Amino acid sequence: MIRAVHFSDIRDFREKRMAGSVHFTAPGDQGEGHLWFFCPCGCGLQQRILVGNGFKPAAIVSSWCWDGKSDSATLTPSVNIEGHWHGWLRGGYWESC
């Protein structure tokens, strides 16, 4: 299990490059935003996923429901970086499947 350290400043987030760290963009008018994160495995891979604040966006691409908490975020369903890492973000911690 690894802590999902939240960075409010995207520049700071990208500079630190901490495994499992997260940055949420501000939700737009429809409540959708993006979660940027560095892979929890420590490989340095940076990813971006579509999230909805309290709902799972209906999208052509994959999307996740975010509980709206930045410092102790929970996403559903699990996050799968195909062929690389698969797990959950629950209560601010990344847990491998």
Side-chain angles (χ1 to χ4, degrees):
M1 197 172 346
I2 185 167
R3 180 84 175 126
V5 175
H6 173 251
F7 285 88
S8 56
D9 183 325
I10 189 75
R11 289 167 284 154
D12 212 18
F13 164 76
R14 289 184 173 144
E15 185 179 298
K16 299 282 193 229
R17 303 186 64 84
M18 292 175 54
S21 61
V22 298
H23 169 77
F24 290 93
T25 63
D29 293 340
Q30 303 299 315
E32 296 178 0
H34 287 97
L35 164 65
W36 289 88
F37 67 96
F38 282 100
C39 186
C41 83
C43 71
L45 179 67
Q46 183 181 330
Q47 295 282 297
R48 179 184 75 163
I49 60 176
L50 179 64
V51 297
N53 190 350
F55 68 99
K56 185 177 185 305
I60 296 171
V61 296
S62 299
S63 64
W64 286 259
C65 178
W66 168 43
D67 67 358
K69 299 175 184 174
S70 298
D71 291 330
S72 60
T74 296
L75 297 179
T76 52
S78 64
V79 176
N80 186 10
I81 305 170
E82 287 206 31
H84 185 72
W85 185 89
H86 184 205
W88 297 91
L89 178 57
R90 294 180 178 146
Y93 287 89
W94 293 101
E95 305 171 26
S96 295
C97 284

